Amino acid sequence: MCDCSSFLATTSLILSRPSNATSSFLTSPPLLSHSLLPFLPLVFWFLECLIKFFANSKLQPLPLDSVMAPAFVHRDRNAVCVMDASSRLGVSLVIRLLQRGYTVHAAAYSRGKHRVSLERLLAENRRLRLFDADPFDYHSIVEAVRGCSGLFYAFDPPQEEPYDDLVVDVEVRAAHNAVEACAQVETMERVIFTSSVTAVVWQEHRELAVEFDEREWSEPSFCRKNKLWHAVAKTLAEKTAWALAMDRGVDMISINAGLVMVPELSANSSYLKGAMEMYNAGVLVTVDVDFLVDAHVAVYESAEAYGRYLCFNNVIRRPPDATKLAEMLSPDVVHPPACYELKVEEQHIQNKKLNKVLMDFDPGRQVDEQELNRLTMD
């Protein structure tokens, strides 16, 4: 707050300086005409009243972030980023988002076989941009998400690289970099973070009769002790992302997916470590890629969506279900008709929260490409 007495003293000093002063200030035209000098006390009184008014008023200054915000930020609410777009889930998300009219920034981590699918899509659709992203290169992530309103984020190591303590650190660092990059991009409005059911169900002293839902968390210490590295990685990465998102004010939603049923899935999947225990607890669940993609898009487009969502569309709780899964994972192995030592288990995990969002979601909605291209050209 300006001090009134200092202001008056400074003003009097300026007006009383000699006219032949050599300062650059007095080489400019006179501030006040001599005819106005008698009114100075009135002017000072008025200024003093203004100062006292603002000092006693409840008016608050604008927040610093609003004062420093840029006057204009290029924003395309239909532009979203998919990362890692070189995974099967990533490619499926890219295709679905393009079908729904989005402009997609496909940020690819690797140059595997799914990268070929992205490059083919790139040649066919001008609303697709391809970026080479490195989960450890923060600037490459910022470049990929710049101008986007949403990020669909997922991280999985190559199938041939099993989860271990090193991969845990890698996944946690990648999650941190992705959320931090979104916090620094003015256009970002929502992050959809792909996590896992394994970040929910592994607890040491859990009663079997109690249902699991989105409020539950796996216990990292228990998972480390039992070398459940997939659960450790997904739990710590998701917790890191949530902590940073809340600290930076990022609107984040997590999708905690069951075992994703993709053709390249094998019995060596790190998710399946402890599969028998999950079966006995009634929490061994799987999800089809199409259903998982619908869940991602549905929560992104829903204004009411928040927090975590368990995502699965099949529960393995009967011996025939277990046999069918085993045959899919190991097609070259002869399996008995049904594991007689298994029994039918009650389901102890539910995804009612996600089902409510999906009730209002139209998965079949697609844009007319010719009409969209015409509007884009206009």
Side-chain angles (χ1 to χ4, degrees):
M1 178 63 63
C2 177
D3 182 70
C4 184
S5 59
S6 299
F7 173 79
L8 296 177
T10 304
T11 306
S12 300
L13 179 62
I14 293 174
L15 293 174
S16 62
R17 293 180 67 172
S19 59
N20 59 353
T22 58
S23 68
S24 59
F25 174 81
L26 292 180
T27 58
S28 58
L31 289 176
L32 291 172
S33 170
H34 289 288
S35 61
L36 295 178
L37 289 178
F39 296 98
L40 277 180
L42 180 62
V43 173
F44 292 155
W45 173 83
F46 178 71
L47 289 174
E48 185 177 8
C49 290
L50 283 177
I51 292 171
K52 290 181 179 180
F53 169 77
F54 284 109
N56 297 324
S57 71
K58 296 183 180 180
L59 295 177
Q60 297 296 324
L62 289 173
L64 183 61
D65 55 353
S66 65
V67 174
M68 299 181 66
F72 174 77
V73 176
H74 176 68
R75 182 189 305 273
D76 183 354
R77 292 184 180 272
N78 282 328
V80 295
C81 179
V82 176
M83 183 186 302
D84 172 23
S86 57
S87 65
R88 181 171 291 274
L89 171 61
V91 172
S92 300
L93 270 169
V94 168
I95 294 173
R96 185 67 56 83
L97 291 166
L98 289 172
Q99 290 172 344
R100 295 179 75 83
Y102 288 93
T103 296
V104 180
H105 293 195
Y109 286 163
S110 66
R111 295 186 176 274
K113 61 180 181 180
H114 298 303
R115 176 65 177 251
V116 178
S117 301
L118 289 175
E119 292 173 349
R120 185 171 62 251
L121 286 169
L122 183 64
E124 299 171 353
N125 200 307
R126 66 181 182 181
R127 286 183 289 109
L128 175 63
R129 296 182 61 190
L130 190 57
F131 294 81
D132 289 318
D134 182 342
F136 302 128
D137 184 357
Y138 167 80
H139 297 290
S140 73
I141 300 175
V142 171
E143 186 64 25
V145 300
R146 181 173 288 117
C148 293
S149 292
L151 169 66
F152 294 85
Y153 173 85
F155 180 91
D156 280 304
Q159 290 289 329
E160 64 275 6
E161 184 178 346
Y163 271 86
D164 56 19
D165 207 6
L166 177 61
V167 175
V168 172
D169 293 336
V170 168
E171 185 154 348
V172 170
R173 288 177 57 195
H176 180 279
N177 287 343
V179 178
E180 181 63 40
C182 290
Q184 302 304 321
V185 175
E186 296 91 342
T187 56
M188 186 58 59
E189 296 180 355
R190 176 167 283 183
V191 174
I192 309 300
F193 187 94
T194 309
S195 186
S196 174
V197 167
T198 61
V200 175
V201 300
W202 287 108
Q203 300 175 5
E204 187 168 9
H205 301 293
R206 182 73 179 184
E207 296 180 10
L208 293 179
V210 179
E211 278 196 350
F212 285 88
D213 60 20
E214 292 82 1
R215 294 170 293 181
E216 306 295 335
W217 284 93
S218 293
E219 299 171 358
S221 58
F222 172 74
C223 296
R224 284 186 183 277
K225 183 170 64 175
N226 292 277
K227 299 190 183 323
L228 301 167
W229 297 116
H230 188 276
V232 176
K234 295 303 179 184
T235 303
L236 294 181
E238 187 187 347
K239 283 194 171 185
T240 298
W242 274 116
L244 189 60
M246 289 187 286
D247 181 66
R248 299 290 193 270
V250 175
D251 178 15
M252 191 181 101
I253 295 172
S254 68
I255 299 290
N256 294 76
L259 179 65
V260 184
M261 305 301 287
V262 293
E264 57 266 28
L265 185 64
S266 73
N268 296 324
S269 170
S270 297
Y271 184 107
L272 291 169
K273 171 78 172 177
M276 183 60 71
E277 289 80 359
M278 285 191 284
Y279 178 90
N280 293 334
V283 296
L284 182 57
V285 293
T286 65
V287 61
D288 299 328
V289 173
D290 287 342
F291 186 87
L292 183 56
V293 169
D294 285 346
H296 278 74
V297 180
V299 298
Y300 177 75
E301 295 182 350
S302 172
E304 290 77 26
Y306 67 95
R308 307 169 84 203
Y309 288 85
L310 286 170
C311 181
F312 57 89
N313 60 346
N314 187 32
V315 183
I316 310 298
R317 65 182 192 87
R318 300 182 302 123
D321 300 332
T323 301
K324 183 178 179 180
L325 177 61
E327 290 173 348
M328 198 209 84
L329 296 174
S330 304
D332 299 330
V333 178
V334 178
H335 299 275
C339 300
Y340 63 87
E341 68 272 14
L342 296 178
K343 62 178 182 179
V344 177
E345 301 289 351
E346 291 186 19
Q347 176 179 338
H348 290 300
I349 188 170
Q350 55 88 8
N351 59 350
K352 297 176 183 177
K353 184 180 176 184
L354 176 63
N355 290 336
K356 290 180 181 178
V357 177
L358 291 175
M359 286 178 61
D360 299 324
F361 177 67
D362 179 11
R365 181 175 70 82
Q366 297 187 16
V367 298
D368 186 306
E369 287 293 334
Q370 292 184 347
E371 177 66 14
L372 184 66
N373 289 337
R374 184 186 67 78
L375 292 174
T376 304
M377 293 178 65
D378 293 344

